[in-house]
Amino acid sequence: QEGVGLPVPVGSFIDPSNMDMVASILRYNNATGEVDSYSLHSGKFLGSSEACLEGRLLAESSRAYARSGNVVFDDRLLAFVYNFWDGNTVLRYSDHVVQLKPK
């Protein structure tokens, strides 16, 4: 993953601050008169359609990672421990496992 922090495989970690983007759709916004990104996670508009497109890319990389039999976490440290040290991390911290709906 890009950014600061422990190295984890691409798709193995979704930052909680990105969950709204990952769970977003394109929806007409009456307030702006445009099609904007709308989060199914929070029930709020996120802004331009770019956020939805970015969220789709994040979701697809995590879906691909999960299809290979791995687990996606919402905590970078847990993703690191799971991938490089202890595969049983998923059993102890199941509340940090991200469940993505199929495409």
Side-chain angles (χ1 to χ4, degrees), residues 20-78:
D20 281 336
M21 279 192 318
V22 169
S24 67
I25 60 171
L26 294 177
R27 185 174 188 177
Y28 182 76
N29 186 342
N30 288 328
T32 64
E34 296 184 17
V35 175
D36 289 329
S37 297
Y38 178 82
S39 173
L40 297 172
H41 182 73
S42 66
K44 298 178 184 177
F45 281 98
L46 305 175
S48 76
S49 59
E50 299 300 318
C52 183
L53 298 175
E54 187 178 337
R56 286 182 185 179
L57 292 174
L58 286 170
E60 189 49 43
S61 70
S62 291
R63 280 189 194 101
Y65 180 77
R67 275 193 297 272
S68 65
N70 294 302
V71 177
V72 179
F73 285 92
D74 67 357
D75 183 286
R76 184 180 287 274
L77 177 60
L78 293 177

Side-chain angles (χ1 to χ4, degrees), residues 74-95:
D74 67 357
D75 183 286
R76 184 180 287 274
L77 177 60
L78 293 177
F80 177 80
V81 170
Y82 170 77
N83 283 286
F84 298 107
W85 193 353
D86 183 6
N88 291 323
T89 303
V90 68
L91 301 174
R92 291 190 301 280
Y93 298 98
S94 60
D95 54 326

